[in-house]
Amino acid sequence: MEMQHLKYHMSCCGALLLLCLALAPRQLVLAAPSGPEYLQRGWQRLLEEGESCADCRPEECPPPRGCLAGVVMDHCDCCWECANLEGQICDLDNTNHFYGKCGENLECRLDMGDLREGEVPEPQCMCISNKAVCGSDGKTYPEICKFQEVANARPDAKLNISHEGPCEAAPHIISPPYDIWNVTGEDVIFGCEVFAYPMASIEWRKDGTEMFLPGDDPHISVQFRGGPQKYEVSGWLQIQRVRLTDEGTYHCYARNRHGEVTATATLTVITPDQLNSTTLQLPKPPRHYTEDYSDSEDFDDYY
Ligand SMILES: *[C@@H]1O[C@H](CO)[C@@H](O)[C@H](O)[C@H]1NC(C)=O
Ligand SMILES: *[C@@H]1O[C@H](CO)[C@@H](O)[C@H](O)[C@H]1NC(C)=O
Ligand SMILES: *[C@@H]1O[C@H](CO)[C@@H](O)[C@H](O)[C@H]1NC(C)=O
């Protein structure tokens, strides 16, 4: 009996291997002769468990709990079990003999992106759509699969989708400007990263002045661009060769037609003499604004 099932699994695995060969001949050749690691792990799991599907008694099935990607039938077609989440390894042939099936709105694909030299792609569950959705909780979810994870995690909340695309709302500050200090003559920069739909404008103002920066001050400049994530915009305020008079409190304002938010940070300017005085207690240098904007196509995400 046991042997029979093993044979069944083996032929199944053969089919999977063929499928892999058809889909990714180059990667498999690279990995020869031992085959992709995920397949080896699958074999190992199969041999260790020696599963058997003999008799199905649905009443003895343990009820699956906390399944964030929903439920699917197990490999014996008998019990419900948790489906695999986005990013989890899965069976390419849409069975669940080794790793399981992907949940709703997910499909099992070989991820060819981000592969390093000699690496073999592993099949993993990926969301069929990368479009944002607006939940009935008023929150924007980057894709339907993330929405489902949250909805499954909080069944009592009875979340559903209000509409496709991001929720329209007042901006939300993802990363505020941080307090900074520096020595006169150095350049300083404040950043302000905002999530907003519709797109927000970002403006800067210094305490004690009515005008938005930079005004006509040539040593101050502002920049604004989309990213780093979808539906985000970032603004920067740069002050070149800071002077003592630049010290003060700066505000970042983000505004769209649904509202305005603000975040505040202070700039402390010291002279080189003060820097030398050992009594001065200075905080650590601030975090630097070096996010990776390479994925962002400026404002494309809005249109
Ligand atoms: C979402 O929930 C509301 C009420 O809770 C209901 O009226 C509406 O039909 C639901 N929409 C979908 C798509 O299920
Ligand atoms: C001061 O500014 C310089 C140049 O902008 C920078 O390299 C340095 O880290 C800053 N110092 C502090 C304490 O932030
Ligand atoms: C700071 O201190 C160092 C050594 O203590 C000295 O060589 C340097 O000239 C000082 N700088 C200023 C601006 O006072």
Side-chain angles (χ1 to χ4, degrees), residues 180-183 185-189 238-239 242 275 282-286 288:
I180 49 184
W181 66 269
N182 217 318
V183 183
E186 296 289 350
D187 296 347
V188 298
I189 189 160
Q238 185 178 28
I239 308 175
V242 285
L275 185 63
L282 291 168
K284 286 200 185 94
H288 286 281

Side-chain angles (χ1 to χ4, degrees), residues 5-302:
H5 276 288
L6 199 58
K7 241 162 93 190
Y8 163 71
H9 277 304
M10 282 185 169
S11 64
C12 219
C13 188
L16 180 61
L17 196 67
L18 277 180
L19 191 70
C20 287
L21 276 168
L23 286 175
R26 242 189 77 224
Q27 279 72 15
L28 273 188
V29 170
L30 278 178
S34 51
E37 198 204 344
Y38 71 86
L39 273 184
Q40 290 179 359
R41 273 188 276 134
W43 277 107
Q44 198 168 354
R45 188 180 124 181
L46 184 63
L47 291 172
E48 279 166 8
E49 291 180 5
E51 300 153 276
S52 158
C53 290
D55 322 300
C56 174
R57 294 198 198 86
E59 66 280 6
E60 285 175 14
C61 291
R65 278 181 215 285
C67 298
L68 295 185
V71 293
V72 291
M73 269 289 161
D74 69 4
H75 72 282
C76 295
D77 249 344
C78 180
C79 300
W80 292 106
E81 62 181 13
C82 285
N84 288 1
L85 285 167
E86 186 168 19
Q88 283 184 324
I89 188 168
C90 49
D91 293 322
L92 262 183
D93 56 357
N94 198 34
T95 63
N96 49 6
H97 289 108
F98 287 157
Y99 303 113
K101 272 189 192 169
C102 303
E104 210 185 335
N105 291 313
L106 290 162
E107 64 185 7
C108 192
R109 285 206 299 257
L110 283 174
D111 184 6
M112 300 298 186
D114 292 341
L115 277 189
R116 268 170 283 158
E117 180 88 24
E119 265 184 349
V120 177
E122 289 196 336
Q124 51 172 287
C125 297
M126 296 190 221
C127 203
I128 55 170
S129 155
N130 62 0
K131 296 209 163 61
V133 297
C134 176
S136 50
D137 55 355
K139 289 205 176 103
T140 299
Y141 294 86
E143 49 172 42
I144 180 133
C145 302
K146 292 277 178 277
F147 168 81
Q148 281 177 330
E149 281 180 32
V150 173
N152 286 328
R154 296 164 41 205
D156 301 341
K158 296 214 185 337
L159 282 183
N160 67 18
I161 292 175
S162 301
H163 58 82
E164 282 188 14
C167 307
E168 292 216 359
H172 170 70
I173 293 182
I174 301 286
S175 173
Y178 296 96
D179 294 347
I180 49 184
W181 66 269
N182 217 318
V183 183
T184 50
E186 296 289 350
D187 296 347
V188 298
I189 189 160
F190 287 112
C192 193
E193 190 181 313
V194 173
F195 178 94
Y197 192 83
M199 186 161 74
S201 63
I202 296 182
E203 289 172 311
W204 297 89
R205 193 183 269 165
K206 187 184 180 190
D207 252 8
T209 60
E210 283 306 304
M211 228 177 22
F212 283 117
L213 297 170
D216 55 6
D217 193 332
H219 84 303
I220 295 181
S221 58
V222 297
Q223 283 179 50
F224 178 71
R225 63 171 292 185
Q229 304 291 320
K230 254 186 174 179
Y231 309 116
E232 286 180 14
V233 288
S234 298
W236 294 269
L237 172 72
Q238 185 178 28
I239 308 175
Q240 288 178 301
R241 295 179 304 281
V242 285
R243 312 161 188 159
L244 292 174
T245 52
D246 291 321
E247 194 165 272
T249 303
Y250 290 83
H251 306 266
C252 148
Y253 294 89
R255 179 185 308 129
N256 66 11
R257 66 167 176 265
H258 296 284
E260 179 182 274
V261 280
T262 174
T264 297
T266 61
L267 170 64
T268 307
V269 182
I270 60 174
T271 62
D273 286 347
Q274 284 171 312
L275 185 63
N276 256 4
S277 117
T278 48
T279 55
L280 203 62
Q281 286 281 310
L282 291 168
K284 286 200 185 94
R287 180 191 114 126
H288 286 281
Y289 302 101
T290 52
E291 319 289 328
D292 181 9
Y293 282 75
S294 56
D295 282 347
S296 146
E297 306 268 305
D298 272 23
F299 301 113
D300 284 0
D301 295 332
Y302 282 96

